[in-house]
Amino acid sequence: VQFYSSCQWVHKDYRGQKFGRILDHLKKNICFDIFNARIQYAIHKESLKDYHLNDLNYSNSEWFATKASGEVFNIAWITQEDWTSKLDDVRKIYS
């Protein structure tokens, strides 16, 4: 079972701040704990790769597609096992 979601539902003013991260982490907990997903993934602009890896705690972010305009998109993902192993580090953010 896989769930797609991206941070596009978080207003740009909150991206990179604690509130945006809280919502994304809550989303992952819902996907993994309630729906028992195996993978949660998001498609994002390449320029947001570090944000997805460092702030949203995805495990991987790789090239996915390039639009005719030259804009590059990546796909980021995390498995249930990886998310569970990162939970202690994620919880430190909120203490």
Side-chain angles (χ1 to χ4, degrees):
V1 177
Q2 310 89 26
F3 278 87
Y4 169 79
S5 180
S6 75
C7 65
Q8 292 175 356
W9 51 275
V10 176
H11 191 275
K12 288 181 182 181
D13 291 349
Y14 297 108
R15 291 183 193 161
Q17 296 181 19
K18 208 175 230 186
F19 184 67
R21 292 165 68 185
I22 288 169
L23 291 175
D24 186 81
H25 295 157
L26 174 62
K27 169 195 64 180
K28 287 181 177 71
N29 285 326
I30 290 170
C31 289
F32 294 130
D33 295 343
I34 295 174
F35 296 110
N36 200 29
R38 298 277 300 128
I39 295 173
Q40 194 274 311
Y41 65 99
I43 297 171
H44 62 86
K45 292 180 182 176
E46 184 181 43
S47 61
L48 295 172
K49 181 175 183 170
D50 288 341
Y51 176 67
H52 280 74
L53 293 173
N54 300 327
D55 295 325
L56 302 182
N57 298 100
Y58 283 91
S59 298
N60 303 82
S61 176
E62 301 294 333
W63 175 88
F64 181 71
T66 304
K67 290 174 60 173
S69 64
E71 190 173 28
V72 177
F73 289 84
N74 282 16
I75 184 167
W77 69 92
I78 187 166
T79 65
Q80 184 182 50
E81 294 81 15
D82 284 348
W83 180 246
T84 301
S85 71
K86 290 182 176 191
L87 280 179
D88 284 340
D89 288 335
V90 171
R91 286 183 184 116
K92 290 176 186 173
I93 295 168
Y94 306 108
S95 15

